[in-house]
Amino acid sequence: MKIDWPAAAVLGMQVNLPGLTKGVRLNEVPLVVHVEPVGHGVVFEVGYEAGDVDSGHCNQDSGRARYRGYVNRALMDVLHTCALEIDEVVRAGTHGGFSGQRETQYHLDLAADEVALRVLLGAGYRVVSEESGVTGEGSLTVVVDPIDGSTNCDHGVPFYATSLGVLRDGELIAGLVRNQATGTIYEAEAGAGATRDGTPISVSGLTDFTKAVVAFSGLPSRHLGWSQYRALGAASLEICLVADGSLDAYSVARRSTLNPWDYLGGLLILREAGGVASDLEDRELVTSAPETRRPVFAATDALASFLREAGTL
């Protein structure tokens, strides 16, 4: 085995494999590490070549099995900074009332968006924002709702968030949703699971809709037999509540729709927590285009299928 220590030093890596050589005769195991730039971080691919350790420790894929994950702490740090600095501006309480520039837009939306653009553009990302559209260029696109649930925020209802979803080559690779009223942070990276305040989360696993606690965007026109119903007014957080098992499903009702900035941050968090997401009209949910969708988010495929089959409520 050969380790290129100068390269490791440049990347800020440390390799520590105590006792491994005694267990598997490391000098006979080719360890293959591929490093690829990704925005402000790197992708690590760790694999093996056919025949390693009698080929008995993993399945082969064209002679090599690979584990691929986005190791990009710098990206997540930027998302945290963005959400935290938005919180500081909103908590100042000097941005009340409607902006007058667009229907349902508040002064706090504009103040939060100004912060988001400063932080995200400053980090070299392309930004798609509910408030300011498409700005900047970069290999990573951050789709942001600076304040999701701005009516709640303006009226003092403690349920509103900053939602950030990150796309790379059309793939959703990271998501962060910060409940700005409580400071609770939900986050996920593709292939790495989802957390709430650093603790791993998972969906409820419920399959019986009659026992489900559900939430909707819009007012359902009929009762489908759920146990309890909520309308909380901030889609990104409601999706995260499905991800952590507090809710069993969240969907749209009547002709309500959601935009990508409403749900992309929560979408990855839900999927990494084991949840199911789809669109009632079978449209792709992962997009940065300012096009509305009619999504269903559920703890299990059974609940998602039930809501899809129910159609428009």
Side-chain angles (χ1 to χ4, degrees), residues 25-74:
R25 295 165 64 187
L26 186 60
N27 63 309
E28 296 181 4
V29 180
L31 179 63
V32 183
V33 180
H34 301 272
V35 181
E36 170 190 343
V38 180
H40 292 274
V42 293
V43 165
F44 287 88
E45 293 185 9
V46 181
Y48 78 104
E49 299 196 5
D52 297 348
V53 196
D54 296 327
S55 299
H57 64 289
C58 54
N59 295 325
Q60 295 184 27
D61 177 15
S62 300
R64 185 180 69 177
R66 296 185 293 177
Y67 170 81
R68 182 179 178 91
Y70 290 91
V71 183
N72 201 336
R73 194 63 245 171

Side-chain angles (χ1 to χ4, degrees), residues 221-259:
S221 61
R222 65 187 189 276
H223 194 289
L224 293 180
W226 54 72
S227 175
Q228 294 190 44
Y229 158 72
R230 303 284 187 271
L232 301 173
S236 61
L237 279 180
E238 290 167 275
I239 298 165
C240 289
L241 290 180
V242 179
D244 73 8
S246 300
L247 293 173
D248 300 302
Y250 172 69
S251 187
V252 292
R254 301 276 175 106
R255 297 307 299 176
S256 178
T257 59
L258 297 175
N259 287 284

Side-chain angles (χ1 to χ4, degrees), residues 89-211:
V89 168
V90 172
R91 284 185 183 275
T94 58
H95 306 285
F98 288 113
S99 69
Q101 298 186 27
R102 179 169 57 81
E103 187 178 0
T104 73
Q105 184 185 66
Y106 293 87
H107 286 297
L108 63 90
D109 289 315
L110 295 177
D113 189 59
E114 183 179 345
V115 174
L117 293 179
R118 173 174 53 79
V119 174
L120 298 174
L121 293 176
Y125 304 138
R126 176 175 179 265
V127 179
V128 178
S129 170
E130 177 180 12
E131 309 305 333
S132 53
V134 180
T135 311
E137 297 180 355
S139 60
L140 299 182
T141 295
V142 182
V143 181
V144 56
D145 191 343
I147 294 294
D148 179 27
S150 49
T151 297
N152 283 352
C153 182
D154 188 72
H155 288 254
V157 179
F159 195 80
Y160 54 93
T162 294
S163 175
L164 303 123
V166 184
L167 300 173
R168 177 177 180 266
D169 297 329
E171 180 184 359
L172 186 59
I173 66 167
L176 183 144
V177 176
R178 187 181 196 271
N179 184 334
Q180 300 291 31
T182 65
T184 299
I185 295 176
Y186 296 88
E187 62 184 304
E189 295 178 66
T195 63
R196 179 186 60 209
D197 290 337
T199 300
I201 58 175
S202 61
V203 295
S204 68
L206 187 74
T207 58
D208 184 352
F209 194 77
T210 65
K211 296 179 181 179

Side-chain angles (χ1 to χ4, degrees), residues 272-291:
E272 288 293 318
V276 177
S278 62
D279 182 75
L280 289 174
E281 298 171 352
D282 295 324
R283 302 181 70 190
E284 175 57 54
L285 291 177
V286 179
T287 177
S288 62
E291 304 170 345

